[in-house]
Amino acid sequence: MITREECAALDAVDPLAAFRKEFALPDGVVYLDGNSLGALPARTPGRVRQVVEEEWGRELIRSWNEAGWFEQPYRLGQRIAPLIGAEPDEVVVCDTTSVNLFKVLTAALRLRPGRRTVLGDGAAFPTDLYIAEGVTALFEGARSVLVTPEELDRHLDGDVAAVVLSHVDYRTGELLDMPGITARVQAAGALMIWDVCHSVGALPVELGAAGADFAVGCTYKYLNGGPGSPAFLHVARRHLAAGPQQPLSGWFGHARPFAFEPGYDPKDGIGRFLTSSPSLLGQAALESSLDVWERADLAAVRAKSLALTDLFITLVEGLDGIEVATPREHARRGSQVALRHADGYPVVQALIERGVIGDFRAPDLMRFGFTPLYLSHTDVWDAAQQLAEVLESGEWREERFSRRGEVT
Amino acid sequence: MITREECAALDAVDPLAAFRKEFALPDGVVYLDGNSLGALPARTPGRVRQVVEEEWGRELIRSWNEAGWFEQPYRLGQRIAPLIGAEPDEVVVCDTTSVNLFKVLTAALRLRPGRRTVLGDGAAFPTDLYIAEGVTALFEGARSVLVTPEELDRHLDGDVAAVVLSHVDYRTGELLDMPGITARVQAAGALMIWDVCHSVGALPVELGAAGADFAVGCTYKYLNGGPGSPAFLHVARRHLAAGPQQPLSGWFGHARPFAFEPGYDPKDGIGRFLTSSPSLLGQAALESSLDVWERADLAAVRAKSLALTDLFITLVEGLDGIEVATPREHARRGSQVALRHADGYPVVQALIERGVIGDFRAPDLMRFGFTPLYLSHTDVWDAAQQLAEVLESGEWREERFSRRGEVT
């Protein structure tokens, strides 16, 4: 078995090691929940303070023009584009993932008149499924059907307008074959919408190379944009050229928002997917996080992510009661490791008390996210060691570890 | 004419004078654009810093439970309720005004099956009209029709499902008769949706007393929640009891969001109007602003607002080229004064250079918002004096004042 010293040796030659100081992590914590809420970049408090005290407090309304508040949704979209393999004019930052999925899925159904089925992964993060229900309820005769990715092909008939899938499964961390699935969906005449919440910032996402039609994603996981930071959406240029119609037609999507015309006339391009005023504080935090991402090499991120998840799997498989739920094959793995344990909830709570923060998803999954920018091999070794001690000691059986908060 | 000394005497007995120190306004500025973007409360930077550095940075994912992030949309809604004359369980804070109007208008159309017309004020803030277009496009045979408030009654036929009106006109500052209009709309069998963006925090809004069905509003104007701060929505209890269906059915509106069930089952009550993760930074800023509002007496706010707008009108009417567009009758006036001037744009720019910040709306309206919590009678006198000097000197004719930014 690999030793802590060997991990330290790997850290010494880690090309991403310098990124650790870009994050303000608390002492004594190994944070393995960056797949849920990313850590605070060290530069973010200063940037947020600047927006609050200077742009808002001192410059007031003038900042809409002078601080470039209007361009922020586009500018942030342009900076996210390389992280998802998209063109800069295909991405915009706004609203939340759910709201953005509502927009692109409605636009997709309108691009496929006569087709009335939306396929979703029944195991996907449920908000995508709920939104698909919400959208299809608005189209006469439309329905959303839940399938597994494995069953997808036999459901791809001539009635399927769109398919919504998570690039990485939020529970198991399984990574889907984006190019292969996209090609098969499109061959059936349907449109492919990817939810990249659990892959953006975790690995190189290649929406353009895969020929994806639409994508949505959040920025508060691997991108470290902060709690409730604004989401993004992607629309392929070929669809933008056709003038897709999204239903949340607010004034920020209008061709001339300050002409205050009574009729809606959408902007050309990705701007027509905007609805209303952006959250400037949330965008400021995201902006400072993207300053960090700008210097990160995604190939190095992916290589380290696989090394860390490999290491963790190696260290924990065989522990008492543990079953690894995440695929071993690199091509099928995101940047998290999910472990099944019959009493996963109290085990995770006991680990948190020891400073190793992961989370739990019912019925039995302990999730551990590995964020290459701020985790080291030694951190992974320490986390595995703590897990071994929790299981060996049986301390997780203490009653207090079974009391549940709302986020479980 | 009233003198500056007389204004100072009024300030000396102003019961709201102590609120001025609650705001971090820059020196040398009379800020008359709080109807567009409210000023920074002095306590807000500290509260935002706490959320960023402690709740996010130090406590990380644990803050969802421990810092009460989940309850925040409800808690903030409960605190806005008294400002709009609503019950605490009728209001929730989330998303943007446009997105929230989309939700309540769709719910309203579903509550009036068979009716297919939405009436809106053609002079209302256009995003409401654009959203009404977006919603009606999703209902077979539905249409949105623009009328003036004066024409409303003769359009209230049996096909009208809902009426959307701004309580205060964003251009002229005209205040509509909320109880009277609501009663007439409901007598015709339609539902009344009020946009209170330009009245909340400016005057006592009495949605409950008026029997309104739904309302939406923003928090970045008179409520001082900060740029792009989250909006709110109101649904009358009688409608909540009937289980209204809103289309943006994301996981935060689910009865059991952490059960991760594949099918959507909305919460009981106002929570079913939530969609997804709130912007915690934006909510933190709003929270600190509501700390200030909690101590403000709305009757005193209204009295001072009328006194300030009366004063401004008295001081500026008769100035060269100026026509007062705002109603003189108190019952028909919000908290802003709009002045028509053929060259309003450069006049406003020249005023801004002198430290009096108002704004301009095409074709000829100069808008001045009067926020009783941080403006004094002396401020109003100074602003009127500066306007007189700008007009008298003709300095606004200098070419640089005609160059336009995006916000005009």
Side-chain angles (χ1 to χ4, degrees):
Chain A
M1 198 66 107
I2 187 169
T3 64
R4 195 172 193 280
E5 290 64 36
E6 288 166 324
C7 287
L10 292 172
D11 290 337
V13 295
D14 172 9
L16 297 177
F19 282 95
R20 171 64 184 80
K21 70 175 188 312
E22 296 283 352
F23 294 90
L25 282 161
D27 293 335
V29 161
V30 178
Y31 190 58
L32 304 183
D33 216 0
N35 52 323
S36 189
L37 174 66
L40 172 65
R43 66 184 64 206
T44 296
R47 176 66 186 130
V48 172
R49 190 182 321 121
Q50 185 181 33
V51 169
V52 171
E53 298 185 27
E54 295 173 26
E55 296 184 12
W56 171 18
R58 197 178 65 205
E59 297 303 318
L60 293 154
I61 193 68
R62 294 171 288 206
S63 285
W64 276 107
N65 288 319
E66 286 163 27
W69 284 357
F70 278 107
E71 292 74 36
Q72 192 73 319
Y74 301 97
R75 204 162 42 221
L76 294 173
Q78 287 159 8
R79 297 180 70 184
I80 287 173
L83 300 174
I84 57 174
E87 300 298 329
D89 55 355
E90 293 179 326
V91 188
V92 77
V93 165
C94 55
D95 299 307
T96 66
T97 308
S98 297
V99 170
N100 289 338
L101 179 58
F102 189 91
K103 295 178 193 177
V104 302
L105 182 53
T106 302
L109 276 163
R110 288 171 167 170
L111 287 169
R112 289 292 179 270
R115 291 175 175 238
R116 284 293 176 263
T117 299
V118 174
L119 297 181
D121 179 358
F125 192 73
T127 205
D128 289 1
L129 312 176
Y130 304 158
I131 290 291
E133 276 191 52
V135 169
T136 52
L138 291 163
F139 286 81
E140 183 72 31
R143 59 187 190 141
S144 63
V145 176
L146 305 185
V147 298
T148 66
E150 295 71 35
E151 297 167 337
L152 182 63
D153 288 351
R154 57 187 174 84
H155 287 86
L156 282 172
D157 60 29
D159 194 57
V160 177
V163 176
V164 182
L165 291 175
S166 288
H167 191 198
V168 170
D169 184 300
Y170 78 104
R171 295 160 312 136
T172 64
E174 177 171 359
L175 173 66
L176 295 186
D177 169 18
M178 180 180 277
I181 292 173
T182 301
R184 298 204 300 280
V185 166
Q186 292 173 342
L191 295 163
M192 185 66 222
I193 302 173
W194 287 102
D195 176 339
V196 298
C197 282
H198 285 83
S199 56
V200 61
L203 50 100
V205 176
E206 295 292 352
L207 290 167
D213 296 292
F214 300 94
V216 295
C218 76
T219 65
Y220 49 73
K221 297 180 186 292
Y222 295 95
L223 292 190
N224 311 307
S229 58
F232 61 86
L233 63 81
H234 158 273
V235 182
R237 275 184 184 167
R238 62 184 178 281
H239 295 308
L240 289 174
Q245 301 291 325
Q246 66 96 353
L248 286 157
S249 44
W251 70 309
F252 268 60
H254 195 283
R256 294 164 300 282
F258 286 92
F260 299 103
E261 299 167 7
Y264 186 66
D265 178 21
K267 285 187 201 297
D268 290 333
I270 193 75
R272 65 173 49 207
F273 282 84
L274 292 178
T275 299
S276 42
S277 288
S279 163
L280 272 302
L281 275 55
Q283 291 200 335
L286 174 58
E287 183 185 9
S288 62
S289 171
L290 292 175
D291 289 345
V292 178
W293 274 104
E294 201 159 73
R295 290 178 288 107
D297 171 40
L298 282 180
V301 166
R302 176 62 169 163
K304 185 173 171 188
S305 160
L306 291 171
L308 296 182
T309 49
D310 274 344
L311 174 62
F312 190 68
I313 290 171
T314 302
L315 290 167
V316 302
E317 65 186 345
L319 290 179
D320 187 36
I322 292 290
E323 179 198 332
V324 177
T326 299
R328 311 296 172 110
E329 307 93 297
H330 284 178
R332 292 181 55 218
R333 191 196 304 162
S335 197
Q336 76 180 53
V337 174
L339 304 179
R340 292 190 197 284
H341 186 283
D343 291 293
Y345 182 80
V347 170
V348 164
Q349 303 315 308
L351 261 179
I352 289 172
E353 190 170 273
R354 284 169 171 262
V356 177
I357 301 179
D359 66 20
F360 175 78
R361 289 292 177 258
D364 61 355
L365 279 182
M366 305 190 292
R367 301 192 310 170
F368 303 98
F370 294 87
T371 49
L373 295 191
Y374 52 81
L375 288 175
S376 66
H377 299 76
T378 319
D379 288 329
V380 174
W381 195 93
D382 290 343
Q385 178 65 23
Q386 296 290 336
L387 176 58
E389 290 179 20
V390 163
L391 292 170
E392 200 168 322
S393 70
E395 67 195 52
W396 58 268
R397 296 178 197 274
E398 293 173 35
E399 185 271 341
R400 65 201 164 99
F401 292 129
S402 291
R403 283 183 223 125
R404 298 203 176 203
E406 185 150 16
V407 181
T408 56
Chain B
M1 196 65 106
I2 187 168
T3 64
R4 194 171 195 279
E5 289 64 36
E6 288 167 324
C7 287
L10 292 171
D11 290 338
V13 295
D14 172 10
L16 298 176
F19 282 95
R20 172 65 184 81
K21 69 176 190 312
E22 297 282 352
F23 294 89
L25 282 160
D27 293 333
V29 161
V30 179
Y31 190 58
L32 303 183
D33 215 2
N35 53 323
S36 188
L37 174 65
L40 172 65
R43 66 184 64 206
T44 297
R47 176 66 187 132
V48 172
R49 190 183 319 120
Q50 186 182 32
V51 170
V52 171
E53 297 184 27
E54 295 172 27
E55 296 184 12
W56 172 19
R58 196 180 66 206
E59 297 304 317
L60 291 154
I61 192 70
R62 294 171 287 204
S63 286
W64 275 106
N65 289 319
E66 287 163 27
W69 286 357
F70 278 107
E71 292 75 35
Q72 191 73 320
Y74 301 97
R75 204 161 41 222
L76 294 174
Q78 286 159 8
R79 297 180 70 185
I80 286 174
L83 300 174
I84 57 174
E87 300 298 328
D89 56 355
E90 293 179 324
V91 188
V92 76
V93 166
C94 56
D95 299 307
T96 66
T97 308
S98 298
V99 170
N100 288 339
L101 179 58
F102 189 91
K103 295 179 192 176
V104 302
L105 183 54
T106 302
L109 277 163
R110 287 170 167 171
L111 287 169
R112 289 293 178 270
R115 291 176 174 239
R116 283 293 176 262
T117 298
V118 174
L119 298 181
D121 179 359
F125 192 74
T127 204
D128 289 0
L129 312 177
Y130 304 158
I131 290 292
E133 275 191 54
V135 169
T136 52
L138 291 162
F139 286 81
E140 183 73 31
R143 59 186 189 141
S144 64
V145 176
L146 305 185
V147 298
T148 65
E150 295 71 35
E151 298 167 336
L152 183 63
D153 289 350
R154 57 189 175 82
H155 286 84
L156 281 172
D157 61 28
D159 194 56
V160 176
V163 175
V164 182
L165 291 175
S166 288
H167 191 198
V168 170
D169 185 300
Y170 79 104
R171 294 160 312 136
T172 64
E174 177 170 359
L175 172 67
L176 295 186
D177 169 19
M178 180 181 276
I181 292 173
T182 300
R184 298 203 301 278
V185 166
Q186 291 172 345
L191 295 164
M192 186 65 224
I193 303 172
W194 286 103
D195 175 340
V196 298
C197 283
H198 285 83
S199 56
V200 61
L203 50 102
V205 176
E206 294 293 352
L207 290 167
D213 297 290
F214 299 95
V216 296
C218 76
T219 65
Y220 49 73
K221 298 181 186 291
Y222 295 95
L223 293 189
N224 312 307
S229 59
F232 60 87
L233 63 83
H234 158 273
V235 182
R237 275 184 184 167
R238 62 184 179 281
H239 295 308
L240 288 174
Q245 302 291 324
Q246 67 96 354
L248 286 156
S249 44
W251 71 309
F252 267 60
H254 196 283
R256 295 164 300 282
F258 285 92
F260 299 102
E261 299 167 7
Y264 186 67
D265 177 21
K267 285 186 201 297
D268 290 333
I270 193 74
R272 65 174 51 207
F273 282 83
L274 292 178
T275 299
S276 42
S277 287
S279 163
L280 271 303
L281 275 55
Q283 291 200 334
L286 174 59
E287 182 185 10
S288 62
S289 171
L290 292 175
D291 289 345
V292 178
W293 273 104
E294 202 159 72
R295 291 178 287 107
D297 171 40
L298 282 181
V301 166
R302 176 61 169 163
K304 184 173 172 187
S305 160
L306 290 171
L308 296 182
T309 49
D310 273 344
L311 174 62
F312 190 68
I313 290 172
T314 301
L315 290 167
V316 302
E317 66 186 343
L319 289 180
D320 188 36
I322 292 290
E323 179 197 332
V324 177
T326 298
R328 309 295 172 110
E329 306 93 298
H330 285 178
R332 293 181 56 220
R333 190 195 306 161
S335 199
Q336 75 181 54
V337 174
L339 304 179
R340 292 190 196 286
H341 186 283
D343 290 293
Y345 182 79
V347 170
V348 164
Q349 303 316 307
L351 261 178
I352 290 173
E353 191 171 271
R354 284 169 171 262
V356 178
I357 301 179
D359 66 19
F360 175 79
R361 289 293 177 256
D364 61 356
L365 280 182
M366 305 190 292
R367 300 192 312 171
F368 302 97
F370 294 85
T371 51
L373 295 192
Y374 51 80
L375 287 176
S376 65
H377 298 76
T378 320
D379 287 331
V380 174
W381 196 94
D382 290 344
Q385 178 67 22
Q386 295 291 335
L387 176 58
E389 290 179 21
V390 163
L391 292 170
E392 199 170 322
S393 70
E395 69 196 49
W396 57 269
R397 296 178 198 274
E398 292 172 35
E399 185 271 341
R400 67 202 164 98
F401 290 129
S402 292
R403 282 184 224 123
R404 299 203 176 201
E406 186 149 14
V407 182
T408 57

